[in-house]
Amino acid sequence: MRETDEILAELTPLRRYARSLTRDEAEAEDLVQEALLRAHERRASFRRGKGLRVWLMSILHNSFIDGLRSRRARELREAAMMEAAPASHPASQESAVRLAQIRVAFAQLPEEQRAALHLVAIEGLSYNEAALVLGVPQGTLMSRIARARAALREFEDGTGAARQPLRVVGGRDADDA
C-alpha cells in the first residue's frame, strides 16, 4: 500500500477522534487538517513499522491540546485587559496634562533614582538584574527605588514641588473674581 493510501485509510478514525475531542463538526475538520499538516511537516520523524495510526492520533491529540492552551491563554489575556480597561475614559486633555506633570516629576528625580526606577518599573528588570546593570549592590538599588517612589508619592499627594494643580478656567469661580 502506498503512503498516501495508508494516510487516507486513517482519515475516518482521525475524524472520529477529532469529533470526540471537539464536539463540533467544523472544529473537528479543522483539527484533522492541522494534524495532517503537522504530520506532513514532521514526516521525517515517522518510523516505518511503528504504527501510522498511533503517530497520527498523537499528533492530532497534541494539536488539540495546543489549541486549548492557546484559547485559554487568549481568554485570560482578554479578561485581564477587560479588568484593566476603565469603564470610562477621562478627558484626553486632562490625561495629557497629567502625563506631562508626571513626566516632569520623573525627570526631576536624581539621576541614580531615575535610572533605578526606570530599569525596574519600565524595563521590567528584576532588582538583581538592575543592580548588575548599574553596578551597585542590590540593597543600594532598592534604596534608590524606595526614595524615587517616595518622591513620586509626594508629588501625587500634592506636597511635592513638581506638582502644579490644574486650574479651572470658567465656571463659578471665574464669575466670583
Side-chain angles (χ1 to χ4, degrees):
M1 196 183 284
R2 286 187 5 205
E3 192 175 304
T4 305
D5 294 334
E6 291 175 18
I7 292 173
L8 289 174
E10 300 302 331
L11 282 179
T12 301
L14 284 172
R15 285 184 177 129
R16 220 177 10 244
Y17 184 47
R19 277 193 306 271
S20 170
L21 292 172
T22 64
R23 291 179 251 152
D24 180 85
E25 190 72 32
E27 280 186 53
E29 282 300 316
D30 290 345
L31 183 59
V32 169
Q33 291 297 317
E34 174 68 23
L36 290 174
L37 178 63
R38 285 187 183 188
H40 178 71
E41 291 170 347
R42 295 171 178 88
R43 64 187 176 276
S45 70
F46 177 67
R47 303 289 176 240
R48 283 254 177 248
K50 293 289 183 180
L52 180 62
R53 179 178 290 182
V54 171
W55 185 66
L56 289 172
M57 291 280 190
S58 66
I59 291 173
L60 183 120
H61 182 80
N62 290 337
S63 296
F64 175 73
I65 297 300
D66 290 347
L68 279 181
R69 287 181 182 147
S70 177
R71 268 192 301 278
R72 285 183 186 143
R74 184 179 61 248
E75 288 168 0
L76 287 173
R77 282 191 308 273
E78 289 172 357
M81 286 179 63
M82 292 304 291
E83 287 179 18
S88 65
H89 296 283
S92 62
Q93 303 90 327
E94 290 179 29
S95 296
V97 170
R98 187 77 189 115
L99 185 57
Q101 289 174 335
I102 292 170
R103 190 178 305 120
V104 167
F106 183 79
Q108 289 178 347
L109 290 172
E111 184 274 328
E112 68 274 355
Q113 292 177 17
R114 192 174 60 249
L117 188 59
H118 177 90
L119 290 173
V120 172
I122 297 173
E123 299 303 328
L125 297 181
S126 69
Y127 285 169
N128 187 44
E129 292 168 331
L132 289 172
V133 168
L134 296 174
V136 297
Q138 189 171 337
T140 300
L141 174 91
M142 292 170 67
S143 176
R144 289 177 182 177
I145 291 171
R147 286 194 308 272
R149 287 179 174 159
L152 292 176
R153 245 189 256 86
E154 284 179 13
F155 168 78
E156 276 299 303
D157 295 340
T159 59
R163 177 145 188 196
Q164 298 172 358
L166 294 176
R167 203 180 77 192
V168 176
V169 178
R172 290 190 314 155
D173 292 338
D175 294 337
D176 295 340

